Amino acid sequence: MTDGNFFQRAYDIVRQVPEGRVATYGQVARMMGEPRKARYVGFAMHSSPGVKGGVPCHRIVFADGGLAPGFAFGGPDEQRRMLQAEGVGFLPNGKVDLRRYAWEA
């Protein structure tokens, strides 16, 4: 798959996403200089220590604003709850409103 250094670099980017904002897997990959490795960013988020470990992986969503069906810390309902608690809004189709809540790094 990829080495731990990739995961750590992904975590470093994700730690920068402010509360109330989201980033996409692809955005994180591009910021790492690895534009074709969005899927690997997903692997990193699934393996992350989560918020308790200082990695707010719940702030990472699909390019269309969709939530990860296998969110590692309780599923998409928990991811949605965590984002809403930070003030992130959702569209009627259940996806994050990226026009309003996307992180502009």
Side-chain angles (χ1 to χ4, degrees):
M1 187 185 323
T2 188
D3 64 20
N5 184 42
F6 181 95
F7 283 20
Q8 289 304 316
R9 290 180 12 221
Y11 300 158
D12 289 344
I13 301 275
V14 172
R15 286 184 183 106
Q16 297 174 49
V17 180
E19 184 174 318
R21 297 288 176 195
V22 297
T24 67
Y25 295 99
Q27 179 181 358
V28 173
R30 286 188 303 277
M31 292 177 74
M32 294 172 64
E34 304 274 4
R36 300 181 57 84
K37 292 195 175 175
R39 183 177 302 262
Y40 293 106
V41 172
F43 296 148
M45 294 307 100
H46 187 75
S47 298
S48 84
V51 175
K52 290 181 182 177
V55 181
C57 58
H58 65 285
R59 297 181 187 149
I60 309 306
V61 300
F62 290 121
D64 67 355
L67 304 181
F71 180 69
F73 305 100
D77 291 339
E78 179 63 11
Q79 185 179 13
R80 181 181 176 116
R81 187 199 65 72
M82 293 171 79
L83 290 170
Q84 286 177 317
E86 293 183 357
V88 173
F90 288 77
L91 299 168
N93 65 5
K95 296 179 179 181
V96 172
D97 183 352
L98 291 176
R99 289 179 142 184
R100 293 189 62 199
Y101 299 101
W103 176 44
E104 302 289 331

